[in-house]
Amino acid sequence: MLMDILIVLAVALEAYLLGSIDTGILVSKLIYHDDVRKHGSGAAGMTNMLRTFGKRAAAMTAAGDVLKGVLAVCIGRWLFTFLSGELFSQYLGVYLAAILAVVGHLKPIYFGFKGGKGVLVAGGAILAVQPVLFPCLFVIFLICLIPTGMVSLGSIVMAACYPFLTLGYGLLTGLPGRDLAVTTIGAAIMAVMVLYMHRSNFQRIREGKEYRFGRKGKDGQVKK
């Protein structure tokens, strides 16, 4: 039992520390000799990187954020193979890793606990946890993004749909009750975190001031 608890703690720690490696901040500081958090929305995510430094910076940020979400979940799943008994659901490992990776991205220990909004990290984690749901979520994202140009709106709607899709898929596949509870609660926690970090975007959307993909931000032209 003690070993199982230590494994759970190890999963939480590896995921948080991996999530804290903020790609946007590293790219902005190492390549552009600036801090993306000083510009635009103040976040260190792909959208703010795009409007501040351009497409290449946004692509590097997106790739790094998705990758760390995938890695955190894969490491968590592997560590849970060493559990001694049935004290914890196997799904706890992957969702614990997914949640803590997002927390690390939101509040990175290496960068003063000020990071991005966690959407791409969550996306990478979902890709590793439940790849079958990823295409559905991506379509939902595009349905919101294409007509409005607002990445934030797509992220918000996608996050809100995720727990319901998780629950529906679990019921459809006959997932045992304990595992169904873990996956649904885990998905809901991830969704709430993403929605909470987009609270300022809600306000800008209501005011008609939200950044739209491909347009100039208020702080100037997008740098190449």
Side-chain angles (χ1 to χ4, degrees):
M1 182 175 178
L2 177 60
M3 181 58 69
D4 288 352
I5 293 174
L6 291 176
I7 289 172
V8 171
L9 293 176
V11 170
L13 182 61
E14 65 85 10
Y16 175 73
L17 293 178
L18 191 57
S20 290
I21 303 173
D22 198 299
T23 314
I25 297 174
L26 289 175
V27 169
S28 66
K29 287 189 173 184
L30 296 178
I31 298 179
Y32 298 95
H33 308 292
D34 199 352
D35 189 337
V36 66
R37 296 172 296 178
K38 296 179 181 177
H39 303 276
S41 66
M46 181 194 71
T47 303
N48 205 29
M49 288 292 287
L50 174 66
R51 63 178 170 183
T52 304
F53 300 112
K55 294 179 181 178
R56 186 179 68 160
M60 288 188 288
T61 300
D65 286 351
V66 169
L67 180 60
K68 70 183 182 182
V70 171
L71 284 176
V73 169
C74 289
I75 293 172
R77 180 182 285 120
W78 173 71
L79 286 173
F80 258 55
T81 63
F82 295 100
L83 289 177
S84 60
E86 296 296 325
L87 182 62
F88 299 108
S89 165
Q90 287 292 320
Y91 285 96
L92 177 63
V94 292
Y95 270 101
L96 182 64
I99 292 167
L100 267 294
V102 174
V103 171
H105 184 79
L106 303 180
K107 301 294 180 181
I109 191 172
Y110 312 121
F111 302 104
F113 301 100
K114 183 182 179 184
K117 296 183 177 179
V119 175
L120 288 171
V121 183
I126 293 168
L127 183 61
V129 173
Q130 292 171 311
V132 69
L133 295 182
F134 192 82
C136 297
L137 291 168
F138 187 65
V139 169
I140 291 170
F141 177 79
L142 290 180
I143 289 174
C144 296
L145 171 65
I146 292 173
T148 66
M150 290 187 285
V151 175
S152 59
L153 180 61
S155 301
I156 289 167
V157 176
M158 182 175 63
C161 291
Y162 178 48
F164 298 100
L165 288 174
T166 299
L167 176 61
Y169 180 71
L171 291 172
L172 185 65
T173 56
L175 204 63
R178 183 180 67 164
D179 292 336
L180 182 64
V182 171
T183 56
T184 304
I185 292 172
I189 292 172
M190 290 178 65
V192 168
M193 287 193 300
V194 172
L195 292 173
Y196 177 75
M197 291 304 294
H198 279 82
R199 59 194 184 282
S200 60
N201 299 88
F202 279 110
Q203 183 64 30
R204 289 196 295 270
I205 289 172
R206 286 198 298 267
E207 296 173 352
K209 299 177 180 178
E210 180 64 326
Y211 171 76
R212 294 174 183 266
F213 187 83
R215 297 185 184 180
K216 297 177 183 178
K218 288 188 174 183
D219 55 344
Q221 293 189 356
V222 173
K223 300 177 184 178
K224 304 300 181 183

